[in-house]
Amino acid sequence: MNSIKNTTLLEAVASVIQHEKDCFDFYLKTYEKVKEGSVKEFFRELAEDVEEHIKLIQEMYNDLSGGVEFPNLKQLAAIHKFDKTHLTKLMRKIDRNTEFNFKDDIDAVQHAMQVSEDARDFSNKMKEKFRDPMIKSFFNKLAFIKEEERIMAESEYLFLQQTDKTKYYWEDEALISGK
């Protein structure tokens, strides 16, 4: 196993895509378990966002690699053994968060917020560990994506905490005006 500093851009991207797939599984399982309503819709949206994240990650690879097309990972996995890289093993530690049994809808959303926060923090730490400026840039952009996801989860969490659930908190005139 190579040092994390020797990770290639392709290995980093493959590891992150696997993380996204693990998150998708978590969002889908949670979607299936929660009751009908805004939380169910929230987890459906998170699951759908994973596909967009993977496309975005692949586009980042294409941009950072100077236009080299993103390879088919199913074909490459047998050759490169991406699951054996040091980075993938580290990412599996944050993926433990996707194995979770929640008490109620609020707990599920709060946990989704934690999953996104952990992935954001991981990405911020990883960008400092690499020599390769492309990988640093990749993890910097990934941290931004995960922060957006965390904010979305926090918004849903705050909505669930409201007593008047007819509007999201940013639509509440009393909150906006400070009354």
Side-chain angles (χ1 to χ4, degrees), residues 113 116-117 119-121 123-124 140-154:
M113 188 168 50
S116 298
E117 187 175 310
R120 179 209 56 204
D121 292 348
S123 295
N124 278 325
N140 189 51
K141 291 175 183 178
L142 189 62
F144 181 77
I145 291 168
K146 290 302 176 179
E147 176 59 10
E148 286 181 328
E149 189 176 279
R150 187 204 63 78
I151 290 169
M152 194 167 100
E154 181 180 36

Side-chain angles (χ1 to χ4, degrees), residues 2-179:
N2 289 336
S3 162
I4 194 159
K5 291 183 186 229
N6 296 327
T7 300
T8 66
L9 178 60
L10 184 58
E11 289 170 339
V13 171
S15 296
V16 169
I17 287 175
Q18 184 57 55
H19 167 74
E20 286 295 321
K21 288 178 179 182
D22 292 341
C23 286
F24 174 81
D25 291 342
F26 164 66
Y27 299 145
L28 191 59
K29 285 178 193 171
T30 306
Y31 168 83
E32 292 169 352
K33 291 179 183 177
V34 297
K35 62 186 176 198
E36 289 295 325
S38 70
V39 173
K40 191 169 202 73
E41 179 65 18
F42 168 72
F43 278 99
R44 184 193 60 77
E45 288 176 25
L46 285 177
E48 287 178 357
D49 285 349
V50 168
E51 184 178 348
E52 291 302 314
H53 290 171
I54 290 174
K55 286 179 187 175
L56 187 59
I57 290 164
Q58 291 171 336
E59 288 172 11
M60 283 191 282
Y61 174 84
N62 295 345
D63 291 344
L64 292 169
S65 66
V68 174
E69 182 115 359
F70 188 76
N72 181 332
L73 291 178
K74 288 181 183 176
Q75 293 171 349
L76 286 177
I79 299 167
H80 291 287
K81 302 290 184 202
F82 291 114
D83 61 330
K84 303 282 188 234
T85 67
H86 191 66
L87 180 62
T88 301
K89 289 180 180 186
L90 283 174
M91 290 196 82
R92 282 206 181 106
K93 290 183 181 181
I94 63 169
D95 287 340
R96 287 183 301 187
N97 294 336
T98 61
E99 299 299 323
F100 173 70
N101 293 316
F102 54 90
K103 299 180 291 201
D104 54 25
D105 289 358
I106 291 174
D107 192 34
V109 171
Q110 191 173 21
H111 190 73
M113 188 168 50
Q114 186 64 51
V115 167
S116 298
E117 187 175 310
D118 289 348
R120 179 209 56 204
D121 292 348
F122 178 82
S123 295
N124 278 325
K125 286 178 184 173
M126 287 298 103
K127 70 183 180 189
E128 302 305 322
K129 301 280 183 199
F130 293 99
R131 296 179 196 129
D132 186 334
M134 291 187 301
I135 298 175
K136 285 179 176 279
S137 177
F138 173 71
F139 276 105
N140 189 51
K141 291 175 183 178
L142 189 62
F144 181 77
I145 291 168
K146 290 302 176 179
E147 176 59 10
E148 286 181 328
E149 189 176 279
R150 187 204 63 78
I151 290 169
M152 194 167 100
E154 181 180 36
S155 296
E156 182 68 20
Y157 178 75
L158 291 171
F159 172 71
L160 293 171
Q161 297 295 316
Q162 288 180 188
T163 53
D164 175 12
K165 294 194 177 26
T166 58
K167 302 180 214 171
Y168 277 95
Y169 70 94
W170 58 81
E171 296 172 329
D172 189 331
E173 290 301 320
L175 285 173
I176 293 170
S177 66
K179 295 179 183 175

